[in-house]
Amino acid sequence: MRRVIAASAGLLTTGALGLGWAIARKLTAPVGPRTFDLILRSIEVDGGRRLLALDRTRATTARGVYSLWFETGEWVRVSNEVIDRGPGQIARVITDAASETLSSPESRFSWSGIYFDSPAAAGLGVLGVSINTPAGPAPAWLVDGKEGSATWALHIHGMGSSRRGMLRGMQVTTELGYPSLAVSFRNDGEGPRTGTGRSTLGYSEADDVESAIEYAVEHCAERIVLFGWSMGAAIALRVADRMRSGGVIAGLVLDSPVLSWIEVIKANCVRNGLPAVVGHLATPWLTLDRLACMVGLPGGIPLREMDWIDRAGELSVPTLILHGGRDDSAPIRVSDALRDRRPDLVELVSFDAGHTLAWNSDPKRWRAAVSSWLSKREAD
């Protein structure tokens, strides 16, 4: 019996170790191709409108404006209206498309909050610049601000996203007259590739963003507002913490922020049908140097150092958080906790939206919240 128990314990331990390794590998995986997991069922014409019939899913029924990206490279934007087509399908109204010729029924696509396919589509004229980072040259988009503006906005995308996702926020800062810089960083698919191409969850990536801040300062920036989306928020918080003595970081605007990687890992375990506690199995593989190297990382990532619930008392920069109540990747309850611990610095605006989709759920309200908050900072 003892042998059976010992053997069973050994198998459980081995299984737990393997599961933790797998979670850590998936979380830090190199940027891969877009997943086209939805199917266009049919194209309808209703008067002067064209509609797409889609399978009914949590994503396709979400209120707001979104883009569909097809395997062919084509894209379509849809309106806020959700039209019922019975228990299995809905229809969305097309508001814009890459071309007049739409993809054919049964084409595969992905649903996305990346609404604009280019700066021009967002009404922005950008200059392509290169930031010299410790990892190598990283491309960035620069939008000029009003003459004499000393406040810059620096936009940082999240894991698996790109600078195109930042165009939503750049519209607001450009309207306010800020010079705006949308950056790339190591291993994001646009910036330089290092090592195995794996993400360090914002820890090393912060070095590249600091180089972008140095670029802004060299070009006459005196104050910088960091916009961080998802993992980009983790980067922004780390940068603001490391540069607090310089006084150049004037504020943080964080959308669907990763404030605690441990909580995010647990939430994504639940999202994938696993108990939340399983998330703790990944922690050693991410934080201990020897195990992290076996995952493919250059070394351990100090997750506790990036936990802003534990470190709430150390937050020193005024912060606006925009977060969706239906976010099952970076739960809004973590943002609630930071706001409750630091009401003197943190303001939270909630939306009926999923992860990084607050803008899409209500663009006017998102823009108004950000514009109002930034205007108040300028007046202080």
Side-chain angles (χ1 to χ4, degrees):
M1 179 63 73
R2 289 180 180 176
R3 291 179 183 174
V4 172
I5 293 173
S8 299
L11 287 171
L12 287 172
T13 300
T14 301
L17 287 171
L19 185 54
W21 176 84
I23 294 170
R25 289 273 296 178
K26 183 174 182 180
L27 179 65
T28 62
V31 174
R34 180 184 289 274
T35 300
F36 301 96
D37 55 350
L38 296 170
I39 298 174
L40 173 61
R41 295 305 179 186
S42 65
I43 301 170
E44 306 172 1
V45 177
D46 178 13
R49 304 192 307 175
R50 292 185 297 175
L51 295 82
L52 303 179
L54 311 172
D55 290 331
R56 181 184 293 275
T57 70
R58 186 180 182 187
T60 61
T61 56
R63 293 287 179 178
V65 293
Y66 302 93
S67 287
L68 285 63
W69 297 85
F70 289 87
E71 283 184 302
T72 58
E74 299 295 302
W75 54 264
V76 168
R77 296 189 198 123
V78 295
S79 74
N80 184 59
E81 187 178 5
V82 180
I83 303 169
D84 185 68
R85 287 290 184 268
Q89 291 189 0
I90 57 93
R92 301 293 292 247
V93 179
I94 297 172
T95 58
D96 198 5
S99 65
E100 286 299 313
T101 304
L102 300 176
S103 295
S104 59
E106 302 305 311
S107 297
R108 302 189 69 85
F109 68 91
S110 66
W111 188 266
S112 179
I114 298 178
Y115 191 67
F116 302 108
D117 67 302
S118 67
L124 301 173
V126 303
L127 175 67
V129 299
S130 180
I131 308 296
N132 293 319
T133 78
W141 284 330
L142 174 63
V143 180
D144 286 335
K146 65 183 179 183
E147 186 175 353
S149 176
T151 302
W152 283 47
L154 197 150
H155 301 260
I156 313 164
H157 67 76
M159 183 184 293
S161 188
S162 69
R163 285 176 290 161
R164 288 186 301 186
M166 302 300 91
L167 296 170
R168 293 169 287 182
M170 291 181 78
Q171 284 185 324
V172 178
T173 54
T174 300
E175 288 172 4
L176 290 172
Y178 298 174
S180 299
L181 193 63
V183 302
S184 61
F185 45 80
R186 67 188 68 188
N187 297 333
D188 71 348
E190 295 183 315
R193 182 182 171 95
T194 63
T196 60
R198 290 188 170 273
S199 169
T200 61
L201 308 183
Y203 186 72
S204 299
E205 294 85 347
D207 295 342
D208 304 333
V209 173
E210 285 191 17
S211 296
I213 291 172
E214 292 170 4
Y215 174 94
V217 171
E218 289 170 359
H219 289 77
C220 301
E222 297 177 10
R223 296 176 300 277
I224 297 175
V225 178
L226 298 179
F227 278 65
W229 299 59
S230 190
M231 188 186 81
I235 295 173
L237 285 158
R238 176 163 167 74
V239 168
D241 180 53
R242 295 195 337 186
M243 302 188 74
R244 69 171 66 196
S245 61
V248 70
I249 308 302
L252 303 175
V253 178
L254 310 179
D255 190 296
S256 308
V258 173
L259 301 174
S260 166
W261 275 112
I262 293 172
E263 291 301 319
V264 166
I265 293 168
K266 287 161 59 179
N268 280 275
C269 283
V270 172
R271 184 183 180 191
N272 287 281
L274 297 171
V277 69
V278 169
H280 290 291
L281 299 176
T283 303
W285 293 99
L286 294 168
T287 58
L288 302 178
D289 285 340
R290 183 174 296 180
L291 294 181
C293 288
M294 294 172 67
V295 169
L297 295 169
I301 304 169
L303 297 183
R304 291 294 180 187
E305 188 178 315
M306 300 169 74
D307 189 325
W308 287 96
I309 303 308
D310 285 350
R311 298 187 62 194
E314 299 176 55
L315 188 68
S316 60
V317 179
T319 301
L320 172 66
I321 297 177
L322 307 120
H323 212 144
R326 294 188 289 108
D327 190 338
D328 56 3
S329 185
I332 193 173
R333 59 177 170 76
V334 185
S335 291
D336 284 331
L338 183 61
R339 186 268 319 273
D340 291 346
R341 294 187 184 195
R342 292 304 306 270
D344 57 319
L345 283 181
V346 178
E347 182 177 334
L348 172 62
V349 181
S350 62
F351 293 78
D352 181 22
H355 189 58
T356 67
L357 299 176
W359 183 97
N360 301 82
S361 72
D362 195 337
K364 288 183 179 180
R365 182 165 172 257
W366 193 98
R367 290 161 58 91
V370 172
S371 180
S372 174
W373 188 84
L374 290 174
S375 296
K376 288 177 183 176
R377 301 284 78 71
E378 286 287 304
D380 289 344

